[in-house]
Every structure is written in structure tokens, then in C-alpha cells.
Amino acid sequence: MNDITFDYTYLQVEQTGGVLTLTLRRKAKLNAMNAAMMAELTDIFRRIHERPDVRSVVLTGAGKAFMAGADIEEYRSFDLGAFFAFQNKGRDMYRAIEECAKPVVAAVNGYALGGGFELALACDLIVASERAKFGLPEVKLGLVPGGGGVQKALRILGPYAAKDMLMTGRFLTAQEGRELRFVNAVVPPEQLAEAAATLASSLAEQAPLAVQGLKKLVNEGRDASLETAQAYDRAYLANLFYSADAQEGITAFAEKRPPLFIGK
Ligand code: COA
């Protein structure tokens, strides 16, 4: 990997061309997220944001889980201060993913529960194995989700499906996720890595500033009024028009050749 090495305990990092694949590796605990893993995820997404050689990201889990949520064992050692510090660090981590300039594909290989479901929802696209299970089971611990899951579930699923998921804590299959429109594609387990890599490679070939803009415009537009959101869209478009990549895209179309985008 280029000049900077990524050396983490809970994350395996591999780069193929412009695609960076991050694999959560805490298999024995179903990749449950402790404070150290959270810090590593925040760190890598902040670093990826600055890296022109990284054009898209795949996030997946080792073993039978994507991530089975916050480390419940670690919770037992927390007092209220430590618990809130953990929640605040979680917010920083989800924000680092959502604000990262690169598109992120969640390749959900198994359980995506609690913070793990919130992690998948912080990504831009979700490809799920037929074995994936999505849930917000905090209610079973006497808690509620703290990483944005309540409000995201409401906005994505609507109040009735959200309350079903939140109040019963039941797990949804990949197919249900597809029907509820937060899963982009469902594939057999053995095809997951390739499906996610193919999608990430196609994103890596798009004009980076346009993709970055689309991520930001959709994420920010979701909670803005239609008029305000469309004003953001137009402002972003106006800024893009004289970018080297937009000029290249327009010229390449006229010259009947594929464009070569450089991210400027
Ligand atoms: N935090 C800490 N450890 C966890 C964990 C979590 N969120 N989820 C799983 N683990 C650990 C288990 O304690 C077990 O460890 P052990 O082998 O040392 O006992 C190991 O991971 C394997 O999990 P296990 O429960 O034996 O697997 P399973 O296939 O029987 O069940 C789940 C899988 C996901 C249904 C079950 O582990 C579960 O309900 N996990 C908690 C999910 C949750 O509530 N997440 C939200 C947290 S806020």
C-alpha cells in the first residue's frame, strides 16, 4: 500500500487498485465493537477521506457476522461517564464514514445487529449475503439504540416497520431488507465478496467529485426541506461544471471515447 501503512488490531486492510477493503476481525466475538475497534474505524475513514488513491471502500466482517453490535462485555465495566464517552465516540465513527468523501459499500456477510446494523446504515450501499440478519435488538437488553438507529430506522422504514424492528428486537432477513429498501442486492454467501468488489470497482471508475457530491447531497438532503435540498444540488452542480472531470466527461462523450477521471 503506498506510502502509509495501515496497521490495526481489529481491521484488516487490503487495497486493489482504487478499492480499499476493510474486514472487521474479531471473529470469536462476532466482531462485536469495543472502544478500540471503534477508534480504528474512525481513524481509517478519516485517513481514507484524504487519500486520492482510494476511490471506493468495501466494509465487511470476518466469520459469520458483519458485526453483532457493541461489545456487551465491555459495557459491564462502564460507569455512566464511560458509557456516554463510548456513545460519543460511536457518533464520531458513524460521522467519519458518512462524511468520508469515498463511497462505502457494506458487504454484510452475517449478523448486522445494533451498532453493526447502524454501521451498515452509515455506509452508502448495502450488498447482503442470503445469510445476513439485520436487527436492532437493544430492547432485549433494556436499552435503545444509541448510534442513530432509531431515527434512521424511522426514516428508512417508516414508523410501523421501524417500531416492529425496534420494539420486538426481531432480526430481518436479507430479503426483507431488500423489500424494505435498505438492501441494494442479495447474493449467495460465496458470491458476496465478488459482488461487493464489482460494485465498488464500478464506483471507483466514476468521477470522484461527482460521487462525493452525490453522497453528501443525498445524506444531507434527507433531512432538509425539498427546496433547500434542491438548492444544494444546484450549487454543487454549478461548482462541478468547470472541474477537469466534468469537462473531460463532456468532451469524452462528444469524442465517443470512455472518460478518464482524475478527481479534479
Ligand atoms: N458483545 C459481546 N460479545 C458478543 C456479542 C456482543 N454484542 N455478540 C456475540 N458475542 C460473543 C458471545 O458472547 C460469544 O462469546 P463466547 O464464545 O466467549 O461466549 C461469541 O460472541 C459467539 O456468540 P454466540 O452468542 O455464542 O453465537 P450464536 O450464534 O449462538 O448467537 C447472536 C449469535 C448474534 C444471536 C448472539 O450472539 C447475540 O444475540 N448477540 C448480541 C447481539 C446484540 O444484542 N447486539 C446489540 C448490542 S448493544
Side-chain angles (χ1 to χ4, degrees):
M1 272 255 8
N2 291 2
D3 47 335
I4 307 173
T5 50
F6 293 112
D7 187 14
Y8 295 112
T9 305
Y10 296 112
L11 273 183
Q12 181 181 317
V13 184
E14 293 154 290
Q15 185 167 10
T16 307
V19 180
L20 201 70
T21 300
L22 310 179
T23 306
L24 302 170
R25 56 170 181 201
R26 200 182 174 217
K27 234 183 203 169
K29 296 290 176 185
L30 305 188
N31 301 321
M33 182 165 51
N34 56 20
M37 184 195 283
M38 201 180 246
E40 291 186 357
L41 279 164
T42 308
D43 182 66
I44 194 153
F45 278 100
R46 286 184 179 156
R47 290 168 73 185
I48 289 169
H49 178 76
E50 308 287 344
R51 296 274 300 253
D53 59 312
V54 177
R55 303 271 283 256
S56 64
V57 181
V58 173
L59 178 59
T60 194
K64 71 173 181 184
F66 176 70
M67 184 205 278
D71 184 337
I72 302 169
E73 266 309 302
E74 198 176 57
Y75 271 13
R76 299 179 72 197
S77 66
F78 287 165
D79 60 15
L80 191 60
F83 183 65
F84 273 100
F86 182 80
Q87 297 299 328
N88 287 339
K89 284 191 180 133
R91 186 199 52 207
D92 293 346
M93 179 195 70
Y94 296 119
R95 209 174 265 171
I97 299 170
E98 288 168 347
E99 292 179 356
C100 177
K102 321 297 166 153
V104 184
V105 176
V108 179
N109 49 302
Y111 292 111
L113 305 177
F117 184 39
E118 293 169 324
L119 183 68
L121 292 179
C123 299
D124 302 299
L125 294 162
I126 300 179
V127 181
S129 148
E130 287 164 350
R131 283 201 199 123
K133 292 266 190 293
F134 298 89
L136 291 167
E138 283 84 347
V139 70
K140 294 183 178 171
L141 302 173
L143 296 170
V144 299
V150 177
Q151 300 312 320
K152 278 194 176 165
L154 167 60
R155 282 158 179 74
I156 294 164
L157 309 175
Y160 289 89
K163 283 181 189 159
D164 173 11
M165 202 172 180
L166 289 160
M167 291 177 173
T168 67
R170 81 179 177 93
F171 300 163
L172 304 183
T173 62
Q175 194 49 42
E176 283 177 285
R178 179 99 178 99
E179 283 153 20
L180 290 165
R181 306 205 304 180
F182 63 82
V183 168
N184 295 97
V186 182
V187 297
E190 63 280 7
Q191 290 172 23
L192 180 68
E194 197 186 332
T198 303
L199 180 57
S201 299
S202 74
L203 297 173
E205 283 166 18
Q206 309 287 4
L209 295 177
V211 173
Q212 178 183 349
L214 290 165
K215 172 167 179 165
K216 190 175 159 66
L217 294 170
V218 172
N219 284 352
E220 292 179 4
R222 190 172 49 203
D223 298 320
S225 74
L226 182 61
E227 200 176 334
T228 304
Q230 288 181 334
Y232 288 154
D233 296 352
R234 286 192 298 275
Y236 197 90
L237 173 63
N239 272 329
L240 268 189
F241 186 70
Y242 283 117
S243 68
D245 281 349
Q247 295 302 311
E248 162 67 2
I250 294 165
T251 306
F253 179 81
E255 294 175 355
K256 300 189 187 304
R257 62 171 174 81
L260 187 63
F261 295 124
I262 55 170
K264 289 189 175 154

